[in-house]
Amino acid sequence: MLIDQAIQFVIDEVEIPALEHQLLEDEFKNKVKRSRTVVHRIKKIGDLKRYLQRFETVAAPGDDKRKLYDRFKALNLKTYEDLYPEFIELYEQYFDDVTVLDDFVLGKEYTSWDISIFSQTYDTQSGIYLIGKEPNYQAIFIKATFDGGKYANDWIEKYDVLKYYMYSVNGVFNPNYKYNAAIINSIKTKTPIYVFEKQSTRLTLKGIYSYESDHSELLDGSRWFILNKINSLATNKVITQKEYDEEIGNQVRIARKRNRNERKKHLDDAPKHPETVTVTTTQFLRNSYVIAEALDRAKGICEECRKPAPFLRKDLTPFLEVHHKKPLAEGGEDTIDNAVALCPNCHRASHHAAKVITLTEAIITENGMVLITKCKEDGEMSGKWKFPGGKVENKEILEQCLRKEIKEELGALIRVQKFLGESVQQNSKGVFRIMAFLAKKVGGELKASDHDNLKWVEINALGQFDFHPADHHFVQLLIKSSK
């Protein structure tokens, strides 16, 4: 790449001769090493030109910056100042290749060097970077750490509302310091605040934020900002696929909290044709032979649910998707042993499904009555009433599981009718998804072998019993349907 060639030019012409010179003192060699560290991390020729531009003119005699130049000249070494006009002549036509603000993709990972080089500070230790010239900053970059300490930044609402401590000097949090003042004034200057979440050496651009307010603690004098995230889909910025999915999910959660009248008004006012957003993805170069072998091994049957592929591709082959059991992004291998062919439903579940325990329950009705069971006095559901059923094992079909559980628990045979609904319950043992079906008893004699009691109850009287919380939803559905 041309940038690699340009970097090597700087290293070969100035830095290697200086570092190999036996008479050059360590204090000067350390400055050269520091420069080499920066140069090696620059990714565009325009950015390299910006860095070298500091050597466009020779510092005045007596200036501290002049010491390195004078020492190089005394040892007959080429200086950065000597190099600069040669660099201009060789690479001038490529100087438009420079990092700009729009190159920063929401949701993407960066390094402290990416930020410091763009800000032209070349300081990776800062927490706040002011991009552009004062007072009309182009943007403000913030590196937010959450490792604790005396003044710990905090997500008040995960990725939506940030508590971020002001820049301080020796424990003094002065709102008039230029970094703090820039953030406070950003609401007037309309300067976007880019927040990078720092984890180890990785910096993830979580989004663009706006200043809301600042606050102080009287006891220790600390001060902090409250910053609110701007909807990434409304920023007109390039975003990653992950950020897109998360933002869409967040907007759906907000919409579902609205009542139907509010949603209807929004739908009536919304444009019929959506706007577009640019989404960027990074893909692995997968081994086509792994995919082919996994599909051949599956022979058209999903290797998770064991059901046939739901449809055929246009080339008349069964539609299955090859999934890595340990994701490639997490260090998984692109091998046949780490690959499995899945139907679209199981594939989506492998990426998005919560880890849950699925249970089935039978709402057995007869002549306007419904069968309920009382749990034994020796468990977590001690003394509670519930509808009979049990845990789904392995890849059991729900209706098949329900018939088996009722026969084992109650000694009865049932005909499973239509699906009534589901209820989700979380406790110390995990997340439980209860799937309830209406059913009819078609044989056998009822017995309470696994329960303290069985009872046929009028549907309207269900509210008089102390049901397990997971069954409250089904009780309400039955009472509502009986009216």
Side-chain angles (χ1 to χ4, degrees), residues 25-50:
E25 294 80 0
D26 286 345
E27 65 170 298
F28 297 115
K29 285 187 176 181
N30 289 335
K31 290 183 178 181
V32 175
K33 289 177 181 177
R34 164 71 180 175
S35 176
R36 185 173 64 174
T37 298
V38 175
V39 168
H40 265 295
R41 285 164 173 78
I42 293 176
K43 298 175 180 177
K44 295 188 176 185
I45 289 183
D47 294 332
L48 182 55
K49 183 259 185 183
R50 283 178 173 178

Short mmCIF file of all heavy atoms in Angstrom, two decimals, residues 25-50:
data_model
loop_
_atom_site.label_atom_id
_atom_site.label_comp_id
_atom_site.label_asym_id
_atom_site.label_seq_id
_atom_site.Cartn_x
_atom_site.Cartn_y
_atom_site.Cartn_z
N GLU A 25 22.47 10.92 21.76
CA GLU A 25 22.11 10.64 23.15
C GLU A 25 20.70 10.04 23.25
O GLU A 25 19.85 10.25 22.39
CB GLU A 25 22.17 11.93 23.98
CG GLU A 25 23.57 12.51 24.12
CD GLU A 25 24.02 13.30 22.91
OE1 GLU A 25 23.22 13.42 21.94
OE2 GLU A 25 25.16 13.83 22.93
N ASP A 26 20.48 9.32 24.35
CA ASP A 26 19.19 8.63 24.57
C ASP A 26 18.02 9.59 24.61
O ASP A 26 16.92 9.24 24.15
CB ASP A 26 19.24 7.82 25.87
CG ASP A 26 20.07 6.56 25.74
OD1 ASP A 26 20.37 6.17 24.60
OD2 ASP A 26 20.43 5.97 26.78
N GLU A 27 18.22 10.79 25.16
CA GLU A 27 17.09 11.73 25.24
C GLU A 27 16.57 12.07 23.85
O GLU A 27 15.36 12.25 23.64
CB GLU A 27 17.49 12.99 25.99
CG GLU A 27 18.55 13.84 25.28
CD GLU A 27 18.73 15.20 25.95
OE1 GLU A 27 17.74 15.97 25.97
OE2 GLU A 27 19.84 15.47 26.44
N PHE A 28 17.47 12.15 22.87
CA PHE A 28 17.05 12.45 21.51
C PHE A 28 16.52 11.20 20.81
O PHE A 28 15.56 11.26 20.04
CB PHE A 28 18.21 13.05 20.72
CG PHE A 28 18.69 14.37 21.27
CD1 PHE A 28 19.96 14.50 21.80
CD2 PHE A 28 17.85 15.47 21.26
CE1 PHE A 28 20.40 15.71 22.30
CE2 PHE A 28 18.28 16.69 21.75
CZ PHE A 28 19.56 16.81 22.29
N LYS A 29 17.15 10.06 21.09
CA LYS A 29 16.65 8.80 20.51
C LYS A 29 15.23 8.51 21.00
O LYS A 29 14.41 7.98 20.25
CB LYS A 29 17.59 7.65 20.86
CG LYS A 29 18.89 7.67 20.07
CD LYS A 29 19.72 6.41 20.33
CE LYS A 29 20.97 6.41 19.45
NZ LYS A 29 21.79 5.19 19.66
N ASN A 30 14.94 8.82 22.24
CA ASN A 30 13.60 8.59 22.77
C ASN A 30 12.56 9.44 22.04
O ASN A 30 11.42 9.01 21.81
CB ASN A 30 13.56 8.89 24.27
CG ASN A 30 14.30 7.84 25.08
OD1 ASN A 30 14.45 6.70 24.64
ND2 ASN A 30 14.76 8.21 26.27
N LYS A 31 12.95 10.66 21.66
CA LYS A 31 12.04 11.50 20.88
C LYS A 31 11.80 10.89 19.50
O LYS A 31 10.68 10.93 18.98
CB LYS A 31 12.61 12.91 20.75
CG LYS A 31 12.61 13.70 22.05
CD LYS A 31 13.12 15.11 21.84
CE LYS A 31 13.08 15.91 23.15
NZ LYS A 31 13.55 17.29 22.96
N VAL A 32 12.85 10.35 18.91
CA VAL A 32 12.71 9.71 17.61
C VAL A 32 11.82 8.47 17.72
O VAL A 32 10.97 8.21 16.85
CB VAL A 32 14.10 9.34 17.04
CG1 VAL A 32 13.95 8.55 15.74
CG2 VAL A 32 14.93 10.59 16.81
N LYS A 33 12.00 7.69 18.78
CA LYS A 33 11.17 6.49 18.99
C LYS A 33 9.71 6.87 19.15
O LYS A 33 8.82 6.18 18.63
CB LYS A 33 11.66 5.73 20.21
CG LYS A 33 13.00 5.03 20.03
CD LYS A 33 13.44 4.35 21.32
CE LYS A 33 14.80 3.68 21.16
NZ LYS A 33 15.28 3.06 22.43
N ARG A 34 9.48 7.95 19.86
CA ARG A 34 8.11 8.42 20.03
C ARG A 34 7.50 8.80 18.68
O ARG A 34 6.37 8.43 18.36
CB ARG A 34 8.11 9.64 20.96
CG ARG A 34 6.85 10.48 20.96
CD ARG A 34 5.69 9.78 21.61
NE ARG A 34 4.50 10.64 21.59
CZ ARG A 34 3.32 10.26 22.01
NH1 ARG A 34 3.15 9.05 22.50
NH2 ARG A 34 2.30 11.08 21.96
N SER A 35 8.28 9.49 17.86
CA SER A 35 7.80 9.87 16.53
C SER A 35 7.53 8.64 15.68
O SER A 35 6.52 8.57 14.98
CB SER A 35 8.82 10.78 15.85
OG SER A 35 8.42 11.08 14.54
N ARG A 36 8.44 7.68 15.75
CA ARG A 36 8.26 6.45 14.96
C ARG A 36 6.99 5.72 15.37
O ARG A 36 6.28 5.15 14.53
CB ARG A 36 9.48 5.54 15.11
CG ARG A 36 9.43 4.31 14.22
CD ARG A 36 10.70 3.51 14.25
NE ARG A 36 10.97 2.95 15.58
CZ ARG A 36 11.96 2.11 15.83
NH1 ARG A 36 12.79 1.75 14.87
NH2 ARG A 36 12.16 1.66 17.06
N THR A 37 6.69 5.73 16.67
CA THR A 37 5.48 5.08 17.16
C THR A 37 4.24 5.72 16.53
O THR A 37 3.31 5.02 16.10
CB THR A 37 5.39 5.20 18.69
OG1 THR A 37 6.51 4.51 19.27
CG2 THR A 37 4.11 4.56 19.22
N VAL A 38 4.25 7.04 16.46
CA VAL A 38 3.12 7.74 15.85
C VAL A 38 3.03 7.42 14.37
O VAL A 38 1.97 7.06 13.84
CB VAL A 38 3.24 9.27 16.07
CG1 VAL A 38 2.12 10.00 15.32
CG2 VAL A 38 3.22 9.61 17.55
N VAL A 39 4.17 7.56 13.68
CA VAL A 39 4.20 7.36 12.23
C VAL A 39 3.70 5.97 11.85
O VAL A 39 2.94 5.81 10.88
CB VAL A 39 5.63 7.60 11.70
CG1 VAL A 39 5.76 7.11 10.26
CG2 VAL A 39 6.00 9.06 11.79
N HIS A 40 4.08 4.96 12.61
CA HIS A 40 3.67 3.59 12.30
C HIS A 40 2.16 3.39 12.40
O HIS A 40 1.62 2.45 11.81
CB HIS A 40 4.36 2.62 13.25
CG HIS A 40 5.63 2.02 12.68
ND1 HIS A 40 5.61 1.19 11.58
CD2 HIS A 40 6.93 2.14 13.04
CE1 HIS A 40 6.85 0.81 11.30
NE2 HIS A 40 7.67 1.38 12.17
N ARG A 41 1.47 4.25 13.14
CA ARG A 41 0.03 4.06 13.36
C ARG A 41 -0.84 4.94 12.48
O ARG A 41 -2.06 4.90 12.57
CB ARG A 41 -0.28 4.30 14.84
CG ARG A 41 0.17 3.13 15.70
CD ARG A 41 0.22 3.50 17.18
NE ARG A 41 0.49 2.31 17.98
CZ ARG A 41 1.69 1.74 18.13
NH1 ARG A 41 2.74 2.26 17.49
NH2 ARG A 41 1.85 0.67 18.88
N ILE A 42 -0.21 5.73 11.64
CA ILE A 42 -0.97 6.57 10.71
C ILE A 42 -1.42 5.72 9.50
O ILE A 42 -0.65 4.93 8.97
CB ILE A 42 -0.11 7.77 10.26
CG1 ILE A 42 0.14 8.68 11.47
CG2 ILE A 42 -0.77 8.53 9.13
CD1 ILE A 42 1.05 9.86 11.19
N LYS A 43 -2.68 5.90 9.11
CA LYS A 43 -3.26 5.03 8.09
C LYS A 43 -3.49 5.71 6.75
O LYS A 43 -3.83 5.04 5.76
CB LYS A 43 -4.59 4.47 8.61
CG LYS A 43 -4.43 3.61 9.86
CD LYS A 43 -5.76 3.16 10.41
CE LYS A 43 -5.58 2.30 11.66
NZ LYS A 43 -6.88 1.91 12.25
N LYS A 44 -3.34 7.03 6.69
CA LYS A 44 -3.57 7.74 5.43
C LYS A 44 -2.45 8.74 5.19
O LYS A 44 -1.94 9.36 6.13
CB LYS A 44 -4.93 8.46 5.45
CG LYS A 44 -6.12 7.51 5.53
CD LYS A 44 -7.43 8.24 5.35
CE LYS A 44 -8.60 7.27 5.34
NZ LYS A 44 -9.89 7.94 5.04
N ILE A 45 -2.09 8.91 3.92
CA ILE A 45 -0.98 9.79 3.58
C ILE A 45 -1.27 11.24 3.98
O ILE A 45 -0.38 11.96 4.45
CB ILE A 45 -0.65 9.69 2.08
CG1 ILE A 45 0.00 8.32 1.79
CG2 ILE A 45 0.27 10.81 1.64
CD1 ILE A 45 0.42 8.12 0.37
N GLY A 46 -2.51 11.67 3.83
CA GLY A 46 -2.86 13.03 4.24
C GLY A 46 -2.63 13.25 5.73
O GLY A 46 -2.23 14.33 6.15
N ASP A 47 -2.90 12.24 6.54
CA ASP A 47 -2.66 12.34 7.98
C ASP A 47 -1.17 12.38 8.29
O ASP A 47 -0.72 13.08 9.21
CB ASP A 47 -3.30 11.16 8.72
CG ASP A 47 -4.82 11.18 8.62
OD1 ASP A 47 -5.38 12.28 8.48
OD2 ASP A 47 -5.43 10.10 8.69
N LEU A 48 -0.38 11.62 7.50
CA LEU A 48 1.08 11.64 7.70
C LEU A 48 1.63 13.03 7.34
O LEU A 48 2.52 13.55 8.02
CB LEU A 48 1.73 10.56 6.84
CG LEU A 48 3.25 10.41 6.96
CD1 LEU A 48 3.68 10.19 8.41
CD2 LEU A 48 3.75 9.26 6.07
N LYS A 49 1.09 13.62 6.30
CA LYS A 49 1.52 14.98 5.92
C LYS A 49 1.19 15.96 7.04
O LYS A 49 2.00 16.84 7.37
CB LYS A 49 0.82 15.37 4.61
CG LYS A 49 1.26 16.73 4.08
CD LYS A 49 0.25 17.81 4.39
CE LYS A 49 0.64 19.13 3.73
NZ LYS A 49 -0.30 20.21 4.09
N ARG A 50 0.01 15.84 7.65
CA ARG A 50 -0.36 16.73 8.76
C ARG A 50 0.63 16.60 9.91
O ARG A 50 1.01 17.59 10.54
CB ARG A 50 -1.76 16.38 9.26
CG ARG A 50 -2.90 16.86 8.40
CD ARG A 50 -4.22 16.40 8.99
NE ARG A 50 -5.36 16.98 8.30
CZ ARG A 50 -6.62 16.69 8.60
NH1 ARG A 50 -6.88 15.81 9.56
NH2 ARG A 50 -7.61 17.26 7.94
#
